[in-house]
Amino acid sequence: MAMIKVQKGTKDILPNEMPIWHFMEKKAEEVFTAYGAKEIRTPIFEATELFARGVGDTTDIVNKEMYTFEKSDRSLTLRPENTAGVVRSFIENGMHRLSAPVKLWYKGPMFRYERPQAGRQRQFHQVGVEVFGIKQATADAEVILMAVDYLKALGLNDLTVELNSLGCPKCREEFKQRLKDVIRPYLPQLCEDCQTRFEKNPLRLLDCKSPECQEIYSKPEIQAVIQGDFICEECSSHFEELKSYLDVLGIKYERNKLLVRGLDYYNRTVFEIKSNNLGSQNAVCGGGRYDSLVKNLGGEDTPAIGFAMGMERLASLLGEKQEERLTAYIVSNNTLEAVKLTQELRQKGISCEFDLTNKKFVKQLEKASKVSKYAVILGEDEISKGEVTVKNLDTSEQTTVKREELKLS
Ligand code: HAM
């Protein structure tokens, strides 16, 4: 029979990789909890309309990459990202009534029908944070700090924070017009995607990867518009304030005026954190402010900002971590006593196993040294005295203790 294989762009996360995943998840809980964030878990599928309205129907994500299906006349979509779902839940559960800021964090799988390549999958995992209710730049600084702190807690320091401000809808509209005016003469030479973006979402012209388009955008008159400061006074002072907080916090960043992000909901602050060790898919984190999204999805007017990180990309930077060993392996030819002791230890929270096939004593000891930190030896002598012999399998040290006094870590 033909073998059924894992789907293109998806991966099994195998037991030997789990230590890294547990580490990323544990650190997320530790770091984000220290900032007062609470975990939220929203469904993996939502109404298609949530993403069309939330992420934006001019984006690649909504236009080309969604896993959409019909059930009972409803159009449903596997979440391509989690900001829209968290916002939906925030509104539906009346979280605007909670005292601001409301800080939520999440982890879980996302789905995008993209061309798979190193660092880009069709099912991938994100860990992310969304902070609601604060319009001041303090929240922007706090969110960027949360991302940087989390990466530090993972031991990842060799990363660059790129920062930009997209302004507000008003000043951005003027910028879009100026950009279109200066690019219009080259319109017939642009790639097909850019021709569509020109009408629908001119800001996205800036992050086109086609070398021909890039050459056009590097022309002096176009660069003058891109590199010029277009944001209004209010947006500009918000951005300056953010930068001064980041300076005080010692967070290094680079201004990248080409950073526009691939989702429509952003205004003002946008940021990405990039690694030099990841090839072309080098962004480990992307985020920004989205002050209109809650209102656009039917909620009260609530400013918000957040980020998400690709966990597969983090995992590939973290490399391998030792597989977790059992704490104890019971070595005994008395299966009934071994079963009892195994249960006693498990109830004390000590991970342990015994030999289910009652192999020879020496074989059991060999197995113990492969899978656990300690061999807990239960010979007839120990059983009669109510004792156990504990062998540390790293140092070969051996001690005998009363069974009820056995402590292992
Ligand atoms: P995003 O930039 O689309 O933003 O994704 C965030 C991160 O998810 C990326 O930097 C990357 O590490 C990872 N990622 C995205 N697509 C893939 C893929 N196909 N394969 C592997 N990793 C991937 C968002 O999703 C926004 N919701 C972030 C946000 C939260 N903004 C505000 N709040």
Side-chain angles (χ1 to χ4, degrees):
M1 264 231 261
M3 192 172 81
I4 300 170
K5 291 201 170 158
V6 74
Q7 289 302 291
K8 198 170 160 193
T10 71
K11 267 188 193 160
D12 298 313
I13 302 173
L14 296 170
N16 67 333
E17 299 167 77
M18 281 327 289
I20 283 285
W21 285 79
H22 288 157
F23 175 65
M24 291 189 287
E25 289 165 2
K26 195 167 135 252
K27 287 291 167 197
E29 185 173 357
E30 267 172 36
V31 174
F32 301 147
T33 305
Y35 280 82
K38 304 265 165 33
E39 187 178 355
I40 182 164
R41 297 189 189 182
T42 58
I44 278 166
F45 63 85
E46 300 267 3
T48 303
E49 197 195 345
L50 175 70
F51 302 113
R53 268 168 62 192
V55 176
D57 52 16
T58 66
T59 61
D60 284 353
I61 294 182
V62 169
N63 279 323
K64 303 183 191 161
E65 297 171 2
M66 296 212 296
Y67 282 92
T68 297
F69 54 100
E70 297 270 326
K71 269 279 174 243
S72 316
D73 285 342
R74 283 207 188 138
S75 179
L76 304 169
T77 292
L78 298 183
R79 61 184 187 192
E81 59 97 59
N82 209 23
T83 308
V86 170
V87 169
R88 182 213 31 80
S89 178
F90 178 89
I91 299 168
E92 201 169 343
N93 294 293
M95 288 190 236
H96 64 278
R97 288 192 293 270
L98 301 174
S99 154
V102 177
K103 297 178 178 173
L104 303 171
W105 77 272
Y106 52 83
K107 57 173 194 269
M110 309 292 154
F111 306 85
R112 294 185 194 175
Y113 188 70
E114 294 193 84
R115 197 170 46 79
Q117 62 182 86
R120 201 204 267 158
Q121 290 176 215
R122 290 180 172 170
Q123 175 174 340
F124 59 99
H125 295 75
Q126 282 185 344
V127 55
V129 170
E130 312 294 347
V131 173
F132 295 91
I134 308 289
K135 62 175 189 301
Q136 284 86 345
T138 41
D140 307 47
E142 175 116 318
V143 163
I144 294 174
L145 187 60
M146 276 170 108
V148 170
D149 260 2
Y150 174 60
L151 293 166
K152 270 197 199 142
L154 295 181
L156 300 173
N157 297 306
D158 188 19
L159 299 163
T160 311
V161 179
E162 291 189 0
L163 194 63
N164 196 16
S165 175
L166 298 179
C168 56
K170 217 172 116 249
C171 51
R172 193 162 54 212
E173 213 38 59
E174 278 171 33
F175 176 66
K176 281 186 194 168
Q177 272 317 323
R178 269 193 277 152
L179 196 62
K180 281 174 79 170
D181 289 346
V182 75
I183 290 177
R184 188 168 286 110
Y186 303 98
L187 194 53
Q189 298 158 47
L190 300 183
C191 72
E192 212 177 299
D193 276 347
C194 278
Q195 303 222 2
T196 319
R197 288 180 189 134
F198 183 84
E199 285 311 331
K200 286 190 164 175
N201 194 351
L203 275 191
R204 297 280 296 153
L205 293 168
L206 303 185
D207 64 5
C208 175
K209 301 281 179 289
S210 136
E212 291 78 20
C213 294
Q214 277 311 322
E215 203 187 314
I216 293 173
Y217 304 147
S218 63
K219 290 187 184 296
E221 73 271 26
I222 300 181
Q223 277 302 310
V225 174
I226 294 171
Q227 298 301 335
D229 275 321
F230 72 87
I231 55 177
C232 64
E233 228 175 274
E234 252 184 278
C235 290
S236 172
S237 67
H238 189 273
F239 195 49
E240 290 307 314
E241 211 182 311
L242 166 62
K243 289 195 286 187
S244 62
Y245 290 130
L246 294 181
D247 291 340
V248 165
L249 291 164
I251 298 178
K252 293 202 179 65
Y253 54 84
E254 285 171 12
R255 174 82 189 264
N256 177 0
K257 290 194 175 182
L258 295 178
L259 184 65
V260 291
R261 310 272 301 126
L263 305 97
D264 276 356
Y265 45 62
Y266 294 115
N267 66 295
R268 291 195 170 162
T269 311
V270 286
F271 64 98
E272 284 190 352
I273 305 180
K274 293 181 178 164
S275 159
N276 297 326
N277 307 321
L278 274 180
S280 68
Q281 300 302 313
N282 62 350
V284 290
C285 174
R289 186 167 269 286
Y290 51 94
D291 292 334
S292 316
L293 185 59
V294 179
K295 194 161 178 225
N296 287 347
L297 291 175
E300 303 274 322
D301 205 354
T302 310
I305 175 162
F307 66 80
M309 300 194 189
M311 296 180 79
E312 282 77 4
R313 292 187 194 176
L314 294 177
S316 71
L317 288 175
L318 289 170
E320 296 216 345
K321 223 176 155 54
Q322 276 245 309
E323 234 178 294
E324 283 148 19
R325 282 188 293 176
L326 281 177
T327 303
Y329 194 87
I330 312 298
V331 176
S332 178
N333 287 127
N334 187 328
T335 308
L336 286 182
E337 283 300 323
V339 174
K340 267 170 57 190
L341 180 61
T342 307
Q343 277 317 93
E344 278 167 34
L345 295 189
R346 286 175 182 160
Q347 263 146 30
K348 285 189 195 170
I350 297 170
S351 63
C352 79
E353 280 195 288
F354 72 101
D355 178 25
L356 297 171
T357 53
N358 196 14
K359 281 194 209 61
K360 288 211 176 74
F361 197 83
V362 194
K363 290 273 173 215
Q364 291 187 27
L365 210 50
E366 261 173 31
K367 167 93 177 185
S369 64
K370 282 187 197 138
V371 299
S372 71
K373 284 195 242 174
Y374 300 96
V376 177
I377 300 163
L378 198 54
E380 288 310 319
D381 203 29
E382 280 93 352
I383 295 170
S384 66
K385 291 187 188 152
E387 292 176 344
V388 288
T389 297
V390 181
K391 181 172 181 186
N392 181 323
L393 295 163
D394 294 328
T395 62
S396 293
E397 251 176 87
Q398 208 164 293
T399 48
T400 301
V401 294
K402 285 273 167 225
R403 193 158 154 165
E404 61 276 10
E405 285 164 13
L406 179 63
K407 283 199 191 94
L408 294 172
S409 59

